[in-house]
Amino acid sequence: MATIFSTCYLFLPMILSLFPTTLCATVVEDLKNLHQPPGFNSTILSNCLKNPSLRYCSSSPIMDFDEIFKFTIVASHLCNESKNPNCVESFPKVDLRNRPNIAPLYLSFDFFWKYCPFTIMSIDLSNNSIKGGFPTDVFFCTQIHSLDLSINAFSGDIPIQSFSSFTNLTFLNLSYNYFSESKLSDSQFFKRFNSSSFLHSGALLDQKRFTVKAVVLLVCFPILVIFLVICLVWLCFQRPDFLPSKLQRGRRFTPAILKAATDGFSKKYLVGMSDVVHIYKGILRDGTEVKIEMYWDDIPRDSYRRFVDECEVLSKLHHKNLVRVLGWCKSRKFRAIITEWTREENVEMWLSGSGSPWKHRVKVLMGVVECMRYMQKEWPEIDYELDTSSILLSDKMEPLISRFKVGDHNRNQRKIHRFGIFLLEMILNKKVEEELDGGDAGFIRNMRNLNHGDLQQMIDERMEVTETNFEQVKQALSLGLMCIDESISEKPSLGMILNSVARAYKTSLVLPSANHRTFKGHMPLQTN
Ligand SMILES: *[C@@H]1O[C@H](CO)[C@@H](O)[C@H](O)[C@H]1NC(C)=O
Ligand SMILES: *[C@@H]1O[C@H](CO)[C@@H](O)[C@H](O)[C@H]1NC(C)=O
Ligand SMILES: *[C@@H]1O[C@H](CO)[C@@H](O)[C@H](O)[C@H]1NC(C)=O
Ligand SMILES: *[C@@H]1O[C@H](CO)[C@@H](O)[C@H](O)[C@H]1NC(C)=O
Ligand SMILES: *[C@@H]1O[C@H](CO)[C@@H](O)[C@H](O)[C@H]1NC(C)=O
Ligand SMILES: *[C@@H]1O[C@H](CO)[C@@H](O)[C@H](O)[C@H]1NC(C)=O
């Protein structure tokens, strides 16, 4: 029996005699079953008197005898497990190498580590697959020379600061763990160990992983950048409408955009065609409806240049009575000009349709003259067509000049003449151009000599001309005649035309329409 005791519990010779009758069991069972023998407290106190350097002696202010008792149980077991030659006399090493079943258990007895015996010089916990953070309890054993935690599964940060308490540590092995990368090289303490203490510990920069990272950075990153650049370039050249609006410089049209807008130039979107031009109604990515005029003709290179120059100028025009040119596009097969989508109706169709009152006609005239004025002031080099078939009408009954030609300087006289014809056609609802074939002079003379009755016959009766605005119509007629009269040297200026039309327009806004007048008759309160 005595030998069993000695191997089991006789770690501290002073307390050897305190365990008289206990059988050897596992450390867990002993911790549960053993109780302080009588005189334990006083033995411990006398130990401390003899050897005050024992760690538990300095656990002031009050010594926890219960804890110290448990410590002696664990210490005696651990000493035996570590195969220390004479556990009664000494306990020089904690050797739990290759003991995955018990190593974590002993590591968990924090009261043991707290009173870590001064005799222990070496701690070996290697090859145990222990999980968790760095076992900080070992820092209580400040005196150790050797610490081996290799081949485990420790993770998290290495407490670099705490290592400085290991002033006498000469051997350290943290290899094969999962620590986080640490700045060990910054600490003076770790200079005494070389990299073989940290092989695959995670703490040092892993050369292999570093190489992999470097390869990724050096190879994949440039590839990614090149790929992105290619994408961006492709977008810029093919589908700039996919770029964020900040990166889009104005509205640029590419064949790919037009193809997408018309579902691959499908028949569904084709609204008109001739030998050379196909007209599509396209829908852009942002939902804008546009008219795409595509010319499939083969024109020489310099004409292409001119086409682009013209489009560039036209896209700068901005007036409520001009069809907006949104952009252009050229490819090897076609060139296209893209304008805002408008209603299909032109003034000619409008006039020959249900007819329209004088009031609306004046509004159209006003829009046309305002636009002529804008063009004269801002873009004198651009010519435009003024016949009733090329002026479109917007939803708001605004006229829209739709055909332009760049490079026609100072032909004001001709523009006035064409406006005169337009004006006359608006009033007479007939093709004045055809009548003029026989010579302007005769036509003008005839018109001027008409008496009141004949005049009323001549003008379009659908205008619902009343007595109040008949004078206006007459004035407009004579203005139109002045515009086309080649015999007078001084044609009316655009400014003058603008004034007269504006006057008529303002009056037409004030004058009650035919309907309005009848309505007023039924409102006795307002007639005074
Ligand atoms: C002491 O250790 C040996 C093996 O080293 C073991 O066989 C024995 O059971 C241990 N004794 C106690 C009491 O733990
Ligand atoms: C030892 O001290 C503890 C208090 O630390 C006390 O509970 C216990 O009874 C004492 N044991 C003896 C044998 O005096
Ligand atoms: C680690 O322990 C296992 C058994 O648990 C053993 O087979 C292996 O050889 C040990 N490795 C080292 C390096 O000691
Ligand atoms: C380190 O060793 C020296 C000499 O052996 C000793 O005096 C000192 O107390 C030891 N340091 C620690 C922290 O145990
Ligand atoms: C690292 O240091 C140990 C001694 O502590 C030595 O045996 C070993 O060769 C050294 N290894 C390297 C790679 O310097
Ligand atoms: C630490 O342990 C690993 C694995 O057992 C071993 O390869 C390495 O040489 C050891 N390092 C030192 C400094 O002993």
Side-chain angles (χ1 to χ4, degrees):
M1 280 296 256
T3 40
I4 294 172
F5 281 133
S6 60
T7 42
C8 276
Y9 302 118
L10 307 189
F11 157 57
L12 295 167
M14 290 87 178
I15 56 171
L16 164 68
S17 55
L18 300 180
F19 304 105
T21 55
T22 322
L23 283 169
C24 179
T26 67
V27 66
V28 178
E29 284 163 2
D30 280 355
L31 282 173
K32 207 165 77 189
N33 300 328
L34 292 183
H35 299 288
Q36 281 182 32
F40 176 79
N41 295 3
S42 50
T43 312
I44 292 298
L45 287 172
S46 71
N47 280 348
C48 286
L49 279 177
K50 281 182 222 148
N51 188 2
S53 68
L54 288 168
R55 244 193 198 96
Y56 58 71
C57 299
S58 53
S59 65
S60 51
I62 306 150
M63 282 170 78
D64 186 340
F65 292 106
D66 224 30
E67 208 175 59
I68 294 170
F69 178 67
K70 279 177 6 190
F71 155 75
T72 60
I73 296 171
V74 171
S76 56
H77 272 282
L78 182 55
C79 184
N80 183 47
E81 296 280 14
S82 301
K83 303 184 185 73
N84 283 296
N86 185 358
C87 282
V88 181
E89 306 299 334
S90 64
F91 185 0
K93 66 171 196 282
V94 173
D95 182 2
L96 291 175
R97 181 184 168 79
N98 305 341
R99 308 290 295 277
N101 292 333
I102 56 164
L105 176 70
Y106 280 100
L107 206 48
S108 72
F109 295 135
D110 49 354
F111 50 83
F112 166 76
W113 298 99
K114 187 171 158 190
Y115 302 121
C116 179
F118 276 115
T119 52
I120 296 175
M121 286 300 145
S122 156
I123 298 175
D124 187 349
L125 295 168
S126 66
N127 193 25
N128 288 318
S129 313
I130 308 171
K131 290 198 184 77
F134 189 96
T136 45
D137 279 342
V138 300
F139 289 118
F140 285 109
C141 312
T142 48
Q143 75 286 351
I144 55 170
H145 294 160
S146 159
L147 176 64
D148 194 341
L149 299 178
S150 64
I151 322 182
N152 278 298
F154 291 118
S155 56
D157 290 329
I158 292 174
I160 295 175
Q161 291 303 315
S162 310
F163 266 91
S164 55
S165 61
F166 287 146
T167 46
N168 290 340
L169 196 72
T170 52
F171 177 89
L172 175 67
N173 200 344
L174 302 180
S175 302
Y176 299 98
N177 278 294
Y178 304 109
F179 293 113
S180 326
E181 204 176 296
S182 309
K183 294 228 164 101
L184 298 180
S185 54
D186 287 358
S187 157
Q188 193 59 35
F189 178 86
F190 289 96
K191 294 237 161 73
R192 62 181 97 162
F193 310 106
N194 62 30
S195 61
S196 66
S197 296
F198 309 102
L199 304 170
H200 304 284
S201 61
L204 295 186
L205 200 58
D206 190 322
Q207 203 54 43
K208 229 193 218 156
R209 264 200 324 212
F210 177 75
T211 317
V212 170
K213 272 188 201 164
V215 166
V216 166
L217 246 101
L218 288 175
V219 177
C220 299
F221 186 66
I223 287 178
L224 192 78
V225 168
I226 290 170
F227 178 72
L228 283 178
V229 167
I230 288 174
C231 282
L232 206 69
V233 168
W234 183 84
L235 277 180
C236 280
F237 283 97
Q238 295 289 317
R239 294 302 302 268
D241 55 334
F242 271 101
L243 290 174
S245 52
K246 273 186 190 153
L247 290 181
Q248 293 180 27
R249 278 189 301 118
R251 224 185 206 143
R252 236 162 43 72
F253 292 93
T254 61
I257 290 181
L258 298 187
K259 204 171 163 189
T262 56
D263 196 11
F265 303 119
S266 92
K267 283 218 175 75
K268 206 170 72 188
Y269 291 87
L270 191 66
V271 291
M273 68 184 293
S274 72
D275 286 348
V276 287
V277 61
H278 286 184
I279 299 174
Y280 288 94
K281 175 181 188 172
I283 299 166
L284 302 183
R285 254 194 90 223
D286 60 4
T288 318
E289 290 181 335
V290 293
K291 182 169 162 189
I292 304 170
E293 279 176 51
M294 301 185 72
Y295 297 88
W296 296 90
D297 48 356
D298 211 4
I299 56 169
R301 224 162 223 286
D302 53 335
S303 306
Y304 250 144
R305 191 63 246 160
R306 217 166 41 238
F307 166 75
V308 171
D309 289 346
E310 280 186 25
C311 290
E312 239 156 43
V313 173
L314 292 182
S315 63
K316 287 180 195 150
L317 303 186
H318 232 305
H319 192 271
K320 72 173 169 40
N321 297 111
L322 283 177
V323 169
R324 241 169 79 81
V325 173
L326 301 175
W328 69 94
C329 168
K330 64 186 181 94
S331 81
R332 252 171 292 160
K333 289 194 200 129
F334 64 83
R335 65 210 158 92
I337 181 155
I338 294 93
T339 57
E340 68 175 314
W341 181 256
T342 55
R343 288 196 319 153
E344 290 291 272
E345 193 178 29
N346 60 34
V347 172
E348 190 180 355
M349 290 152 73
W350 179 62
L351 288 176
S352 63
S354 60
S356 28
W358 169 241
K359 193 172 160 174
H360 288 171
R361 298 191 192 204
V362 175
K363 185 178 177 187
V364 169
L365 285 171
M366 187 67 204
V368 169
V369 180
E370 275 179 338
C371 188
M372 287 173 75
R373 176 67 167 198
Y374 162 79
M375 295 295 278
Q376 189 191 41
K377 268 171 88 176
E378 311 281 337
W379 304 96
E381 73 274 25
I382 298 180
D383 194 16
Y384 41 83
E385 288 185 17
L386 275 182
D387 47 286
T388 48
S389 64
S390 64
I391 295 182
L392 306 175
L393 281 173
S394 79
D395 294 332
K396 293 176 191 149
M397 296 302 289
E398 286 284 356
L400 293 168
I401 291 177
S402 69
R403 299 223 181 104
F404 319 91
K405 190 164 185 301
V406 181
D408 192 73
H409 284 275
N410 294 322
R411 299 280 188 82
N412 276 333
Q413 296 288 320
R414 252 182 54 200
K415 285 172 194 165
I416 301 277
H417 183 90
R418 281 185 313 210
F419 175 73
I421 292 174
F422 177 74
L423 173 53
L424 292 176
E425 287 185 346
M426 289 282 283
I427 298 170
L428 304 175
N429 193 24
K430 65 162 86 169
K431 278 285 171 196
V432 172
E433 196 114 46
E434 288 159 16
E435 310 236 342
L436 286 182
D437 275 353
D440 302 7
F443 173 76
I444 294 166
R445 205 172 331 109
N446 280 347
M447 290 296 296
R448 288 233 166 95
N449 291 338
L450 289 175
N451 63 30
H452 187 90
D454 290 340
L455 199 57
Q456 270 182 329
Q457 291 281 300
M458 284 288 281
I459 63 173
D460 190 351
E461 75 275 6
R462 288 171 307 169
M463 278 198 294
E464 299 167 16
V465 175
T466 61
E467 267 150 52
T468 17
N469 55 28
F470 182 69
E471 264 316 298
Q472 275 187 12
V473 176
K474 241 170 80 180
Q475 277 170 19
L477 205 54
S478 87
L479 180 67
L481 290 173
M482 270 168 82
C483 290
I484 62 168
D485 195 345
E486 302 291 343
S487 65
I488 49 174
S489 52
E490 198 87 357
K491 284 207 175 178
S493 72
L494 194 50
M496 199 194 114
I497 295 175
L498 181 64
N499 281 341
S500 332
V501 176
R503 218 176 311 123
Y505 178 59
K506 268 186 212 138
T507 321
S508 79
L509 290 181
V510 179
L511 275 183
S513 70
N515 287 344
H516 193 177
R517 214 168 333 141
T518 22
F519 184 55
K520 210 172 167 187
H522 292 285
M523 301 275 289
L525 278 180
Q526 290 188 346
T527 51
N528 50 355

